[in-house]
Amino acid sequence: MTLFGKLRNAAAAGLALSALGAMPASAQDEDIKIGMVNLSLCCAYFVGMDAAVKDEASHFSNVKVLSTDAKGDVAKLTSDVEDLLNQDVDVFIISGAWIEAAPAALESINQAGTPIVMVDRLLKGGDFTAWVGPDNRVIGEGIGDYIVKRLDGKGKVAVIRGGPADNTIGSNRSEGVQSKFQGTGIEAVVAPGWGEWSADGGFTQMEDLLSKNDDLNAVFCENDSMCLGAQKAIGDAGKAEQIFITSVDGEMGTLKEIMREGSNYGATGRNSSDQIGRAGFNRAMAIVAGGSPEKETALPSPIITKDNAIKFYDENSKF
């Protein structure tokens, strides 16, 4: 019997057609190989996503995750895909990190007829079976609403970008935030350089902004790590009471800081790599089982503040 035939009952039972569904026992009829292709495992966000896929798979003795790390090299990512194709994986999960496209890799997979589930970033220039991830524009709009309300519609807000200029994840977040300033008395001041998604980069950009803008009221960073660096620069300048900070991702360190008494960390938009990884795994298993999931699924991304941070905090999270 074919793999599809052996797993047909699982699909009929409603196998993971939602992003977070659980696999029933009838899906354990035959060995399944998942190719987890990572552009990079450089940092907690991507490590957490990879770990979530592996953790979900650990509940099934017949499921094996073959994980790769291209260390930021698109050519290596393409080579990793070829290696996994030679190992006859049943489905790919692709975490493209900061790149916008990987046409050669996607073309190789498509020629082999193997399903592709993209997680987090939706790569351009190739066909795919399904995508699960955040709606970054909506997250940005939610943070924008928070800033406008907290500032009562007037003030000066610094924006720190990750980079580069064509990075759609970052630009969608910043554009969403700034769209909420239209028609208010809020002025946005965009840092001229790139924070490079790191705490060190956020610190450097914030120092530069503070040297030129003595009257800032708030900061938005395109990810948590940069804002933790920005927070240090603000504290060193003695302006923690004057300036509150906001960001996107929901790292456990950030949630802990939001919950800290007296903290100037106001809010973050949830973009949990753990949630995305688990959703990607279950979507991949649904496809292997013969299901026909939605092409694109944006996961819920609530705005996290001191009022609800405890609901999302998990001290055992890898992200």
Side-chain angles (χ1 to χ4, degrees), residues 160-181:
I160 298 178
R161 302 168 296 171
D166 63 348
N167 186 289
T168 55
I169 284 180
S171 61
N172 284 341
R173 292 174 181 178
S174 286
E175 289 168 8
V177 169
Q178 293 178 76
S179 71
K180 295 297 182 173
F181 299 165

Side-chain angles (χ1 to χ4, degrees), residues 285-306:
M285 293 294 277
I287 292 167
V288 170
S292 299
E294 293 180 355
K295 184 88 168 177
E296 300 181 16
T297 302
L299 300 176
S301 299
I303 303 305
I304 302 173
T305 68
K306 66 179 181 180

Side-chain angles (χ1 to χ4, degrees), residues 43 160-162 194-207 221 223-234 236 251 254 265:
C43 42
I160 298 178
R161 302 168 296 171
W194 308 109
E196 299 180 345
W197 309 104
S198 70
D200 287 345
F203 180 85
T204 299
Q205 292 302 309
M206 193 69 239
E207 278 195 321
C221 303
N223 79 338
D224 287 351
S225 293
M226 291 190 295
C227 244
L228 289 169
Q231 184 183 39
K232 184 178 187 309
I234 292 167
D236 289 351
E251 293 182 23
T254 293
Y265 213 125

Side-chain angles (χ1 to χ4, degrees), residues 202-277:
F203 180 85
T204 299
Q205 292 302 309
M206 193 69 239
E207 278 195 321
D208 183 63
L209 285 162
L210 288 168
S211 71
K212 300 170 183 175
N213 301 273
D214 192 49
D215 55 347
L216 291 174
N217 304 109
V219 177
F220 169 72
C221 303
E222 290 179 347
N223 79 338
D224 287 351
S225 293
M226 291 190 295
C227 244
L228 289 169
Q231 184 183 39
K232 184 178 187 309
I234 292 167
D236 289 351
K239 291 183 176 293
E241 293 187 5
Q242 173 185 320
I243 303 169
F244 69 87
I245 60 178
T246 62
S247 57
V248 178
D249 274 347
E251 293 182 23
M252 291 305 109
T254 293
L255 301 196
K256 189 173 183 179
E257 181 58 31
I258 288 173
M259 292 186 291
R260 182 177 63 84
E261 186 68 28
S263 174
N264 67 329
Y265 213 125
T268 186
R270 190 179 192 225
N271 178 42
S272 168
S273 66
D274 182 85
Q275 178 192 32
I276 293 169

